Amino acid sequence: QTDVSGDTTDGDSGPVLAFVDQIKDYDKVDDSSTEGFVIKSKKYDYEGNNVVILNLENQSENNYTVTVNLTYCDGAGNTLGEDLQSFEGFAANWQKYFVFEPNKPFDSYTYEIALEEYSGECYAQYVDISFGQLEEAWTEVEGDTVTKYPSIISTCYPKNSSGYQLMTGYHLVVIDNTGKIFFIGSCGALIAPYAKGDNYSNILILQCLEGDLVWPEEIKEGVLGICAVESVTPYE
C-alpha cells in the first residue's frame, strides 16, 4: 500500500535523517575490507531457509554506487549460489540495510563490495522509514465478491527531510521474539516533502481465512521491524 503525507513543493535538499540500527548482535563486523565502509552482517532462519541482512555504513566523504555480491556456501565451503544487489546514490556519511533472501538453506556466506563514485543527487539520505507496530485489521480478498478477513498488519512511518516528493520502495523484515524472521515483504511509499512521519504505510503480515484470528506467540511481544530502503526517486 502506498501512503502520501504532507504537501507538494519544489525540491530542496534537507538534513540527513539519523539511522537507528535495530540489530544489536551481528555475526560479523568488518571495517577493513572496503575503504571507508563498515560492514555488519547477520544470518537469520526463515521458513526452512536462511536470510542475510547487511548493514553498510559509508564513513567516507564520497558518494557512491555500491554493488554487493553475496556468495552462499554449504558446510564444506562449496558455493550454492550468488546474489548481486546495487544501490545508486549511496551518500557520504550514510548507511542502509541490504536484505539477501536466496530461498535456500546455507551454512555460511561471503561478500564482496564494489564502489563507483556517484555525482548525482543522493535522494535516499533524506528518507527514513521506521517500523511502528503490528496490529489487527480487516483486509480484503477479491473474487466474485469482496470478502474481508481478520488479519495482522504492520504499520510503518515514512519521513522525508527534503523538499522533494519521493517515491520509495523498501523491504520490511519482521523478526519475532525467538530471533527468527517471521515475515519479509515489499512496500512502496510516496512521501511528500518534509513529511514528519504522521501518516503510514501498511503491509499485510498474516490473514486468517477460517475461524477466529489467533496471534502466534512469537509475535505477541518483543517484535523487531527492519525497513531496508531499496530505491528512492523523485516523483513528478
Side-chain angles (χ1 to χ4, degrees):
Q1 180 176 336
T2 299
D3 170 70
V4 183
S5 55
D7 300 319
T8 301
T9 63
D10 293 334
D12 294 304
S13 60
V16 176
L17 292 173
F19 180 92
V20 179
D21 194 358
Q22 301 297 319
I23 303 174
K24 307 304 179 186
D25 54 345
Y26 286 98
D27 299 330
K28 306 176 185 178
V29 177
D30 182 1
D31 59 1
S32 60
S33 64
T34 303
E35 184 175 354
F37 274 74
V38 174
I39 305 162
K40 304 175 184 178
S41 60
K42 185 172 178 63
K43 186 178 80 167
Y44 289 91
D45 296 330
Y46 180 51
E47 295 184 342
N49 298 315
N50 295 110
V51 172
V52 173
I53 297 179
L54 264 64
N55 173 2
L56 268 66
E57 180 181 0
N58 181 5
Q59 295 186 339
S60 77
E61 299 300 321
N62 301 316
N63 303 331
Y64 291 104
T65 293
V66 177
T67 300
V68 183
N69 185 16
L70 204 76
T71 301
Y72 312 102
C73 301
D74 63 17
N78 300 311
T79 298
L80 298 174
E82 296 183 356
D83 195 353
L84 196 70
Q85 292 187 29
S86 292
F87 191 88
E88 186 178 73
F90 200 118
N93 301 301
W94 185 71
Q95 61 184 308
K96 73 174 292 294
Y97 295 113
F98 288 79
V99 179
F100 290 86
E101 184 186 4
N103 296 312
K104 66 180 68 176
F106 54 90
D107 289 280
S108 62
Y109 58 92
T110 60
Y111 53 79
E112 295 181 351
I113 311 296
L115 305 176
E116 181 180 347
E117 289 201 25
Y118 178 77
S119 59
E121 183 78 29
C122 297
Y123 296 103
Q125 66 183 321
Y126 309 129
V127 168
D128 174 71
I129 302 175
S130 58
F131 173 77
Q133 65 276 333
L134 300 180
E135 57 190 54
E136 293 187 19
W138 290 85
T139 58
E140 298 179 350
V141 174
E142 295 186 7
D144 295 334
T145 60
V146 175
T147 306
K148 291 187 176 182
Y149 295 94
S151 306
I152 298 173
I153 62 172
S154 70
T155 302
C156 297
Y157 299 93
K159 296 180 182 179
N160 179 4
S161 67
S162 77
Y164 300 102
Q165 185 167 223
L166 298 174
M167 177 59 73
T168 302
Y170 66 96
H171 271 88
L172 172 65
V173 181
V174 176
I175 300 172
D176 66 27
N177 54 33
T178 72
K180 296 181 180 180
I181 292 177
F182 186 85
F183 172 86
I184 296 179
S186 298
C187 191
L190 180 58
I191 314 176
Y194 307 113
K196 300 191 181 300
D198 299 327
N199 289 1
Y200 54 85
S201 297
N202 290 331
I203 301 179
L204 177 62
I205 303 298
L206 185 151
Q207 190 175 56
C208 181
L209 301 179
E210 295 182 355
D212 297 328
L213 175 65
V214 177
W215 280 67
E217 289 292 331
E218 61 268 31
I219 61 169
K220 283 186 175 180
E221 58 183 8
V223 171
L224 179 68
I226 292 173
C227 298
V229 172
E230 300 295 320
S231 62
V232 180
T233 55
Y235 183 83
E236 299 177 357

